Amino acid sequence: MDTLRIRGGRPLVGSIPIAGAKNSVLALLPATLLAETSCTIENVPAIRDVKVLVDLLRRLGAEVAMEGTTLRVDTARVVNRPMIDSGVRSLRASAYLMGALLGRFGEAVVGLPGGCNLGSRPIDQHLKGFESLGATISQRAGAIHLKAARLRGTRIYLDVVSVGATINIMLAAVLAEGVTVIENAATEPEIVDVATFLNGMGARIQGAGTDVIRIRGRSPLNACRHAIIPDRMEAGTYMIAAAATGGEVRVDHVIPLHLEPVSAKLREMGVFVTEGDESVTVKGTDPLLPVDIKTQPYPGFPTDLQSPFTALLTQAKGTSLIIENIYEERLKHVLELNRMGARIRTDGRMALIEGGTPLYGMRVRAMDPRAGAALVVAGLIAEGETAITDIHQIDRSYERIDQKLRQLGADVWRE
Ligand code: EPZ
């Protein structure tokens, strides 16, 4: 059951509900460790990475109960222990255990985080933040050892705009003494969501969503109930697929503002995009016009949608240019797209897409969730049948992708 098969050529038509944001819930779950009580998190997506992270919390002694899309996490009986299990290396978000355990216990031993292979993905800015807060850090046997007698508020300037470092430093700072100011912070909506959750627990965070975040430490934190924001990457992926197949799709339960970068680029291609209060409707058009994409931190074009957008651009009438500015290696999907008939040339972080090239069904492999999404978009428009192996990669970040695509009329099944 690790292969997705798609018979291409059908326009996607209809509407689908968008799940809660993966890159928010993967930070909220470790954040629950900061309080010795129980929190309720609603609108949790049914994705593999959530299951992995829930297992890690349970290994720390947290009690986690799932009812539908609602998770209750009771961390009263959590006991600190080294987190060096295999699950830690399977996802990048396990890095948040450093900030959460350091914040609650003043000590943490966490295996070096893994996750999508997108180049080196250092955590130097995370560690810089923890040291600034007063932690001593050493690295032994593939794990980071952090210890702080007391965490004291300080001013931290991030050399790189980093979602993970911004969130991880927030987690460690909410229980520190005094005020912490993070400068050159990332401004992604998921960061605002984490700050909203922490403030719901009684933290005092101001400026989330801007590049200067102020955290006034206080303890203890209390229980809270929080509904996760919609997943802009899931929504954007279906919007791209609708444009690619020349269909008409409405994505529901979204925040249109968060989708503005994708909507704007689709409009530049001549695609019709209309926004409701909590929905966006995309109607494909012919011909599709070529566009250039430069990935940037929010509110720029998101790197996580660069891969599926590349598949769409193979159908534009003309040449498009993509520059991937966030990661050094995020063009792996190009190899598989070219095997399906695309004509894309790459050089470092740049990809030149010829466009107007018919795609043909092929056996291809999902290297990471977003590269897998690119292959799904390509399979939906290819002539014949596409078999995408390692579909578990896609299941890490996309909820029931085959069911949702079938709901939109696609000829797709798991094998
Ligand atoms: C988060 O990763 C997301 N993952 C990524 O989504 C997303 O692509 C990325 O943010 C950028 O928006 C989760 O939230 C779980 P970064 P993160 O720190 O936090 C460099 C997906 O498919 N950097 O913002 O790891 C780094 O190498 C995933 O959903 C440092 O140099 O990304 C990269 O070039 C993939 N030092 C850039 O900053 C550091 O200490 C942005 O990374 C940290 C990061």
Side-chain angles (χ1 to χ4, degrees), residues 41 48 70 74 91 106 154 207 243 291 302 381 390 395:
I41 303 176
R48 287 169 72 108
T70 298
D74 186 335
L91 74 161
T154 183
V291 294
I381 52 182
D390 289 11
D395 292 335

mmCIF file of all heavy atoms in Angstrom, residues 41 48 70 74 91 106 154 207 243 291 302 381 390 395:
data_model
loop_
_atom_site.group_PDB
_atom_site.id
_atom_site.type_symbol
_atom_site.label_atom_id
_atom_site.label_comp_id
_atom_site.label_asym_id
_atom_site.label_seq_id
_atom_site.Cartn_x
_atom_site.Cartn_y
_atom_site.Cartn_z
ATOM 1 N N ILE A 41 -6.335 20.440 21.605
ATOM 2 C CA ILE A 41 -5.993 21.024 20.293
ATOM 3 C C ILE A 41 -6.979 20.495 19.261
ATOM 4 O O ILE A 41 -7.148 19.275 19.122
ATOM 5 C CB ILE A 41 -4.549 20.646 19.884
ATOM 6 C CG1 ILE A 41 -3.558 21.113 20.956
ATOM 7 C CG2 ILE A 41 -4.192 21.264 18.535
ATOM 8 C CD1 ILE A 41 -2.113 20.709 20.680
ATOM 9 N N ARG A 48 0.916 11.472 9.024
ATOM 10 C CA ARG A 48 1.866 10.587 9.709
ATOM 11 C C ARG A 48 2.771 11.331 10.677
ATOM 12 O O ARG A 48 3.084 10.849 11.759
ATOM 13 C CB ARG A 48 2.742 9.862 8.679
ATOM 14 C CG ARG A 48 2.048 8.774 7.914
ATOM 15 C CD ARG A 48 2.922 8.337 6.755
ATOM 16 N NE ARG A 48 4.071 7.584 7.231
ATOM 17 C CZ ARG A 48 4.202 6.264 7.059
ATOM 18 N NH1 ARG A 48 3.258 5.597 6.450
ATOM 19 N NH2 ARG A 48 5.262 5.628 7.494
ATOM 20 N N THR A 70 -9.713 16.159 17.240
ATOM 21 C CA THR A 70 -9.367 16.842 18.493
ATOM 22 C C THR A 70 -8.416 15.974 19.323
ATOM 23 O O THR A 70 -8.660 14.791 19.522
ATOM 24 C CB THR A 70 -10.639 17.140 19.315
ATOM 25 O OG1 THR A 70 -11.466 18.026 18.547
ATOM 26 C CG2 THR A 70 -10.290 17.830 20.639
ATOM 27 N N ASP A 74 -2.264 15.518 28.080
ATOM 28 C CA ASP A 74 -2.077 15.763 29.513
ATOM 29 C C ASP A 74 -0.599 15.536 29.848
ATOM 30 O O ASP A 74 -0.096 14.415 29.720
ATOM 31 C CB ASP A 74 -2.961 14.812 30.320
ATOM 32 C CG ASP A 74 -2.903 15.152 31.819
ATOM 33 O OD1 ASP A 74 -1.878 15.751 32.235
ATOM 34 O OD2 ASP A 74 -3.847 14.824 32.562
ATOM 35 N N LEU A 91 11.743 13.263 11.779
ATOM 36 C CA LEU A 91 11.115 14.543 11.396
ATOM 37 C C LEU A 91 11.850 15.726 12.004
ATOM 38 O O LEU A 91 12.396 15.664 13.101
ATOM 39 C CB LEU A 91 9.632 14.564 11.734
ATOM 40 C CG LEU A 91 9.132 14.710 13.164
ATOM 41 C CD1 LEU A 91 7.696 15.171 13.105
ATOM 42 C CD2 LEU A 91 9.186 13.419 13.907
ATOM 43 N N GLY A 106 14.811 22.731 32.317
ATOM 44 C CA GLY A 106 16.158 23.306 32.402
ATOM 45 C C GLY A 106 17.212 22.383 31.833
ATOM 46 O O GLY A 106 18.413 22.616 31.972
ATOM 47 N N THR A 154 16.641 37.707 27.095
ATOM 48 C CA THR A 154 17.754 38.408 26.450
ATOM 49 C C THR A 154 17.303 38.872 25.069
ATOM 50 O O THR A 154 16.151 38.650 24.699
ATOM 51 C CB THR A 154 18.962 37.451 26.327
ATOM 52 O OG1 THR A 154 20.061 38.170 25.768
ATOM 53 C CG2 THR A 154 18.644 36.282 25.401
ATOM 54 N N GLY A 207 3.975 40.660 19.133
ATOM 55 C CA GLY A 207 4.712 40.887 17.889
ATOM 56 C C GLY A 207 4.833 39.679 16.979
ATOM 57 O O GLY A 207 5.444 39.761 15.920
ATOM 58 N N ALA A 243 -5.672 24.218 -11.301
ATOM 59 C CA ALA A 243 -5.208 24.997 -12.466
ATOM 60 C C ALA A 243 -4.560 24.075 -13.497
ATOM 61 O O ALA A 243 -4.780 24.192 -14.707
ATOM 62 C CB ALA A 243 -4.213 26.065 -12.001
ATOM 63 N N VAL A 291 5.292 32.064 -15.807
ATOM 64 C CA VAL A 291 5.628 33.063 -14.771
ATOM 65 C C VAL A 291 6.971 32.703 -14.149
ATOM 66 O O VAL A 291 7.441 31.578 -14.273
ATOM 67 C CB VAL A 291 4.570 33.114 -13.632
ATOM 68 C CG1 VAL A 291 3.248 33.602 -14.131
ATOM 69 C CG2 VAL A 291 4.459 31.765 -12.933
ATOM 70 N N PRO A 302 5.906 30.680 -0.995
ATOM 71 C CA PRO A 302 6.430 29.685 -0.056
ATOM 72 C C PRO A 302 7.232 28.579 -0.737
ATOM 73 O O PRO A 302 6.782 27.994 -1.732
ATOM 74 C CB PRO A 302 5.174 29.115 0.585
ATOM 75 C CG PRO A 302 4.080 29.372 -0.389
ATOM 76 C CD PRO A 302 4.439 30.617 -1.133
ATOM 77 N N ILE A 381 -2.196 15.228 -14.823
ATOM 78 C CA ILE A 381 -2.292 15.796 -16.185
ATOM 79 C C ILE A 381 -1.602 14.914 -17.219
ATOM 80 O O ILE A 381 -1.691 15.173 -18.416
ATOM 81 C CB ILE A 381 -1.706 17.226 -16.235
ATOM 82 C CG1 ILE A 381 -0.291 17.292 -15.659
ATOM 83 C CG2 ILE A 381 -2.613 18.190 -15.509
ATOM 84 C CD1 ILE A 381 0.301 18.702 -15.661
ATOM 85 N N ASP A 390 6.738 5.126 -2.648
ATOM 86 C CA ASP A 390 7.090 5.814 -1.386
ATOM 87 C C ASP A 390 6.042 6.860 -1.039
ATOM 88 O O ASP A 390 6.374 7.956 -0.573
ATOM 89 C CB ASP A 390 8.483 6.470 -1.494
ATOM 90 C CG ASP A 390 9.593 5.414 -1.501
ATOM 91 O OD1 ASP A 390 9.238 4.232 -1.637
ATOM 92 O OD2 ASP A 390 10.775 5.745 -1.372
ATOM 93 N N ASP A 395 2.080 11.033 2.634
ATOM 94 C CA ASP A 395 1.162 10.888 3.782
ATOM 95 C C ASP A 395 1.698 11.584 5.027
ATOM 96 O O ASP A 395 0.958 11.823 5.976
ATOM 97 C CB ASP A 395 0.927 9.403 4.092
ATOM 98 C CG ASP A 395 0.146 8.715 2.979
ATOM 99 O OD1 ASP A 395 -0.595 9.413 2.243
ATOM 100 O OD2 ASP A 395 0.301 7.494 2.830
#
